[in-house]
Amino acid sequence: MLAAILSPSSATRVFTPTTLHKPPTTFSFLRPFSLPLSASRFQVRAMADSASAPFKKIAIHRDDTTFDAYVVGKEDAPGIVVLQEWWGVDFEIKKHAVKISQLDPGFKALIPDLYRGKVGLDVAEAQHLMEGLDWQGAVKDIRASVNWLKANGSKKVGVTGFCMGGALSIASSVLVPEVDAVVAFYGVPTSELADPAQAKAPVQGHFGELDNFVGFSDVTAAKALEEKLKASGIPYEVHIYPGNAHAFMNRSDEGVKRRKSMGMPDEDEAAVELAWSRFKTWMTRYLSA
């Protein structure tokens, strides 16, 4: 059970099929989320304006559509699809992808552009873009991205995501059979999109104790996710970081400023480093050939 808030010094707990319990009733999911929308407009740089030197831009085809994706990392390394926050493919998700590609022993990170080039410039725009997303289509984009990596040197492929991307990464553990492991940061899918009780790939989740996206990434949502994962029969971990709010992994100067403008002033480098350590351990364990 996730009976207590995990402190940065607490030991990682791995839940396996031997710890199954009855699943709870379905929890409610609210949209738009009850995040305070008092943030002033904070201009962010679009994909084309941010540093793009490490990335190779590719086009991925699926069904009757084509979308751009951005790849960084060792050619034949295990692959990880990195899914954007509700802002779109901006400086922060690229920073995360570069970080992932540099984790020992090395990964090949791929960011699919789920918004087809659009980037939210403030909270209202980001929420509008997320609400307008074709979520089933996004899952198809994820599957095409996983299969592209497997066709281009990666024997195993994981999926990770942040905020909206966190929810989609969990959905991929249910809906994309080619996925080998998932790490989700502060996001849970609607039951209409995917039931985590049906997850087929190992899932690790990270949530902030002070997250106030009610029903999506708050502590109640995290605990409900844990109960669903218990029922799935797959290995899983759920970690809650005390004193941290939503998007606590965003540590770029721009990201810190943006979080503060949204009423999230917490800065906890120890929690960030612990989360990356857990991420690395999980993906290495399940993506090793």
Side-chain angles (χ1 to χ4, degrees):
M1 291 291 292
L2 189 66
I5 299 295
L6 297 176
S7 69
S9 60
S10 63
T12 298
R13 295 180 294 168
V14 179
F15 297 84
T16 64
T18 60
T19 61
L20 296 181
H21 297 274
K22 289 182 64 178
T25 56
T26 303
F27 62 98
S28 62
F29 181 86
L30 305 178
R31 189 183 292 161
F33 314 119
S34 56
L35 176 73
L37 297 181
S38 58
S40 60
R41 184 179 180 86
F42 177 69
Q43 190 80 11
V44 299
R45 294 171 295 175
M47 182 75 190
D49 296 326
S50 56
S52 58
F55 290 88
K56 174 184 177 182
K57 183 178 178 180
I58 63 170
I60 297 179
H61 306 275
R62 60 114 179 138
D63 301 329
D64 58 350
T65 188
T66 300
F67 60 93
D68 291 335
Y70 302 87
V71 183
V72 61
K74 295 166 57 177
E75 279 302 313
D76 295 326
I80 298 180
V81 176
V82 183
L83 303 176
Q84 67 199 50
E85 297 177 288
W86 66 347
W87 307 106
V89 179
D90 70 349
F91 57 88
E92 200 71 61
I93 200 65
K94 291 185 72 180
K95 179 174 179 289
H96 291 325
V98 171
K99 170 77 173 181
I100 289 166
S101 73
Q102 294 172 346
L103 292 173
D104 185 60
F107 296 98
K108 186 176 181 179
L110 182 153
I111 309 170
D113 189 350
L114 304 181
Y115 286 168
R116 304 299 194 263
K118 296 178 181 178
V119 178
L121 300 181
D122 58 23
V123 168
E125 289 183 4
Q127 183 163 326
H128 176 74
L129 285 169
M130 185 176 72
E131 289 175 350
L133 180 68
D134 174 3
W135 289 71
Q136 294 289 350
V139 171
K140 292 180 180 179
D141 288 353
I142 295 166
R143 186 174 190 180
S145 299
V146 170
N147 287 333
W148 186 93
L149 283 167
K150 290 198 170 184
N152 287 272
S154 298
K155 294 180 180 178
K156 291 189 176 182
V157 175
V159 177
T160 191
F162 303 79
C163 181
M164 180 187 83
L168 283 166
S169 65
I170 293 173
S172 77
S173 75
V174 178
L175 302 172
V176 181
E178 296 87 354
V179 172
D180 295 299
V182 163
V183 177
F185 290 89
Y186 29 81
V188 177
T190 64
S191 57
E192 292 80 11
L193 177 63
D195 180 2
Q198 302 301 316
K200 301 172 183 65
V203 175
Q204 183 185 75
H206 301 267
F207 298 86
E209 176 196 15
L210 304 182
D211 196 315
N212 61 357
F213 277 66
V214 176
F216 177 71
S217 54
D218 62 343
V219 170
T220 299
K223 290 181 178 180
L225 171 65
E226 183 199 18
E227 294 299 316
K228 290 282 189 176
L229 293 174
K230 284 180 184 177
S232 72
I234 51 91
Y236 73 93
E237 296 176 1
V238 173
H239 301 287
I240 297 179
Y241 297 81
N244 286 269
H246 190 76
F248 66 88
M249 297 295 288
N250 293 353
R251 301 302 305 136
S252 69
D253 291 343
E254 299 97 327
V256 169
K257 185 183 296 186
R258 183 164 63 186
R259 290 184 78 248
K260 287 182 177 179
S261 78
M262 296 171 65
M264 296 180 283
D266 55 288
E267 295 186 43
D268 189 346
E269 294 291 350
V272 172
E273 289 306 311
L274 178 59
W276 280 124
S277 175
R278 287 168 168 165
F279 173 99
K280 172 185 169 182
T281 297
W282 193 259
M283 287 302 196
T284 301
R285 178 184 303 156
Y286 291 108
L287 301 185
S288 296

